[in-house]
Coordinates of all heavy atoms in Angstrom, one line a residue:
H347 N 3.5 -11.8 -12.0 CA 3.9 -12.7 -11.0 C 4.9 -12.0 -10.1 O 6.0 -11.6 -10.6 CB 4.5 -13.9 -11.7 CG 5.0 -15.0 -10.8 ND1 5.4 -16.2 -11.2 CD2 5.2 -15.1 -9.4 CE1 5.8 -17.0 -10.2 NE2 5.6 -16.3 -9.1
A348 N 4.6 -11.8 -8.8 CA 5.4 -11.0 -7.9 C 6.2 -12.0 -7.0 O 5.7 -12.9 -6.4 CB 4.5 -10.1 -7.1
T349 N 7.5 -11.6 -6.8 CA 8.3 -12.3 -5.8 C 9.1 -11.3 -5.0 O 9.0 -10.1 -5.3 CB 9.4 -13.2 -6.6 OG1 10.3 -12.3 -7.3 CG2 8.7 -14.2 -7.6
G350 N 9.7 -11.8 -3.9 CA 10.6 -10.9 -3.1 C 9.8 -9.7 -2.5 O 8.6 -9.8 -2.1
L351 N 10.5 -8.6 -2.4 CA 9.9 -7.4 -1.9 C 8.6 -7.0 -2.6 O 7.7 -6.4 -2.0 CB 10.9 -6.2 -1.8 CG 10.4 -4.9 -1.3 CD1 9.9 -5.0 0.1 CD2 11.5 -3.8 -1.4
F352 N 8.6 -7.2 -3.9 CA 7.4 -6.9 -4.8 C 6.2 -7.6 -4.2 O 5.1 -7.0 -4.1 CB 7.8 -7.2 -6.2 CG 6.7 -6.9 -7.2 CD1 5.7 -6.0 -7.0 CD2 6.7 -7.6 -8.4 CE1 4.7 -5.7 -7.9 CE2 5.7 -7.4 -9.4 CZ 4.7 -6.4 -9.1
S353 N 6.4 -8.9 -4.0 CA 5.3 -9.7 -3.5 C 4.8 -9.2 -2.1 O 3.6 -9.1 -1.9 CB 5.7 -11.2 -3.4 OG 4.7 -12.0 -2.8
T354 N 5.7 -8.9 -1.2 CA 5.4 -8.4 0.1 C 4.6 -7.1 0.0 O 3.6 -6.9 0.6 CB 6.7 -8.2 1.0 OG1 7.3 -9.5 1.2 CG2 6.4 -7.5 2.3
C355 N 5.2 -6.2 -0.8 CA 4.6 -4.9 -0.8 C 3.2 -4.9 -1.5 O 2.3 -4.2 -0.9 CB 5.6 -4.0 -1.6 SG 5.1 -2.2 -1.6
I356 N 3.1 -5.6 -2.5 CA 1.7 -5.6 -3.2 C 0.7 -6.2 -2.3 O -0.5 -5.8 -2.2 CB 1.8 -6.2 -4.6 CG1 0.6 -5.6 -5.4 CG2 1.8 -7.7 -4.6 CD1 0.7 -5.6 -6.9
Q357 N 1.1 -7.2 -1.5 CA 0.1 -7.8 -0.5 C -0.2 -6.9 0.6 O -1.4 -6.8 1.1 CB 0.6 -9.1 0.0 CG 0.7 -10.3 -1.0 CD 1.3 -11.5 -0.5 OE1 0.8 -12.1 0.5 NE2 2.4 -11.9 -1.0
H358 N 0.8 -6.1 1.0 CA 0.6 -5.0 2.0 C -0.4 -4.0 1.5 O -1.3 -3.6 2.2 CB 1.9 -4.4 2.4 CG 1.9 -3.2 3.2 ND1 2.5 -3.1 4.5 CD2 1.4 -1.9 3.0 CE1 2.3 -1.9 5.0 NE2 1.6 -1.1 4.1
E359 N -0.3 -3.6 0.2 CA -1.2 -2.6 -0.4 C -2.6 -3.2 -0.6 O -3.6 -2.5 -0.3 CB -0.6 -2.1 -1.7 CG 0.8 -1.5 -1.7 CD 1.0 -0.5 -0.6 OE1 0.0 0.1 -0.2 OE2 2.1 -0.3 -0.3
L360 N -2.6 -4.5 -1.0 CA -4.0 -5.1 -1.2 C -4.7 -5.2 0.1 O -5.9 -5.0 0.2 CB -3.8 -6.5 -1.7 CG -3.5 -6.6 -3.2 CD1 -2.9 -8.0 -3.6 CD2 -4.7 -6.3 -4.0
D361 N -4.0 -5.4 1.2 CA -4.6 -5.4 2.6 C -5.3 -4.1 2.8 O -6.4 -4.0 3.3 CB -3.5 -5.7 3.6 CG -3.4 -7.2 4.0 OD1 -4.1 -8.0 3.4 OD2 -2.5 -7.5 4.8
H362 N -4.6 -3.0 2.5 CA -5.2 -1.6 2.7 C -6.5 -1.6 2.0 O -7.5 -1.0 2.5 CB -4.3 -0.5 2.1 CG -3.2 -0.1 3.0 ND1 -3.4 0.4 4.3 CD2 -1.8 -0.1 2.8 CE1 -2.2 0.7 4.8 NE2 -1.3 0.4 4.0
L363 N -6.7 -2.1 0.8 CA -7.9 -2.1 0.1 C -9.0 -2.8 0.8 O -10.2 -2.6 0.5 CB -7.8 -2.6 -1.4 CG -6.7 -2.0 -2.2 CD1 -6.8 -2.5 -3.7 CD2 -6.7 -0.5 -2.2
N364 N -8.6 -3.8 1.6 CA -9.6 -4.6 2.4 C -9.6 -4.2 3.9 O -10.1 -4.9 4.7 CB -9.2 -6.1 2.3 CG -9.4 -6.5 0.8 OD1 -10.3 -6.1 0.1 ND2 -8.5 -7.4 0.3
G365 N -9.2 -2.9 4.2 CA -9.3 -2.4 5.5 C -8.3 -3.0 6.5 O -8.6 -2.9 7.8
I366 N -7.2 -3.6 6.1 CA -6.3 -4.2 7.0 C -4.9 -3.5 6.9 O -4.5 -3.1 5.8 CB -6.1 -5.7 6.5 CG1 -7.4 -6.5 6.8 CG2 -5.0 -6.4 7.3 CD1 -7.5 -7.8 6.1
V367 N -4.3 -3.3 8.1 CA -3.0 -2.8 8.2 C -2.1 -3.8 8.9 O -2.6 -4.7 9.6 CB -2.9 -1.4 8.9 CG1 -3.5 -0.3 8.1 CG2 -3.6 -1.5 10.3
F368 N -0.8 -3.7 8.7 CA 0.1 -4.8 9.2 C 0.0 -5.0 10.7 O 0.1 -6.2 11.2 CB 1.6 -4.6 8.8 CG 2.4 -3.6 9.6 CD1 2.9 -3.9 10.8 CD2 2.6 -2.3 9.1 CE1 3.7 -3.0 11.5 CE2 3.4 -1.4 9.8 CZ 3.9 -1.8 11.0
I369 N -0.3 -4.0 11.5 CA -0.4 -4.3 12.9 C -1.7 -5.1 13.3 O -1.7 -5.6 14.4 CB -0.5 -2.9 13.8 CG1 -1.6 -2.0 13.3 CG2 0.9 -2.3 13.7 CD1 -1.7 -0.8 14.2
D370 N -2.6 -5.3 12.4 CA -3.7 -6.2 12.6 C -3.2 -7.7 12.7 O -4.0 -8.5 13.2 CB -4.8 -6.1 11.5 CG -5.4 -4.7 11.5 OD1 -5.5 -4.1 12.6 OD2 -5.9 -4.3 10.4
Y371 N -2.0 -8.0 12.3 CA -1.5 -9.3 12.4 C -0.8 -9.5 13.8 O -0.3 -10.6 14.0 CB -0.5 -9.6 11.3 CG -1.1 -9.6 9.9 CD1 -0.8 -8.6 9.0 CD2 -2.1 -10.6 9.6 CE1 -1.4 -8.6 7.7 CE2 -2.7 -10.6 8.3 CZ -2.4 -9.6 7.4 OH -3.0 -9.6 6.2
L372 N -0.6 -8.5 14.6 CA 0.0 -8.6 15.9 C -1.0 -8.8 17.0 O -2.2 -8.7 16.7 CB 0.8 -7.3 16.1 CG 1.8 -6.8 15.0 CD1 2.4 -5.5 15.4 CD2 2.8 -7.9 14.7
S373 N -0.5 -9.1 18.2 CA -1.4 -9.2 19.3 C -2.1 -7.9 19.6 O -1.6 -6.8 19.2 CB -0.7 -9.7 20.5 OG 0.2 -8.6 21.0

Side-chain angles (χ1 to χ4, degrees):
H347 181 170
T349 64
L351 178 59
F352 181 24
S353 176
T354 292
C355 188
I356 201 155
Q357 290 177 64
H358 171 117
E359 304 309 339
L360 282 163
D361 270 356
H362 277 301
L363 306 191
N364 295 324
I366 295 165
V367 290
F368 78 79
I369 56 173
D370 293 333
Y371 297 112
L372 308 178
S373 68

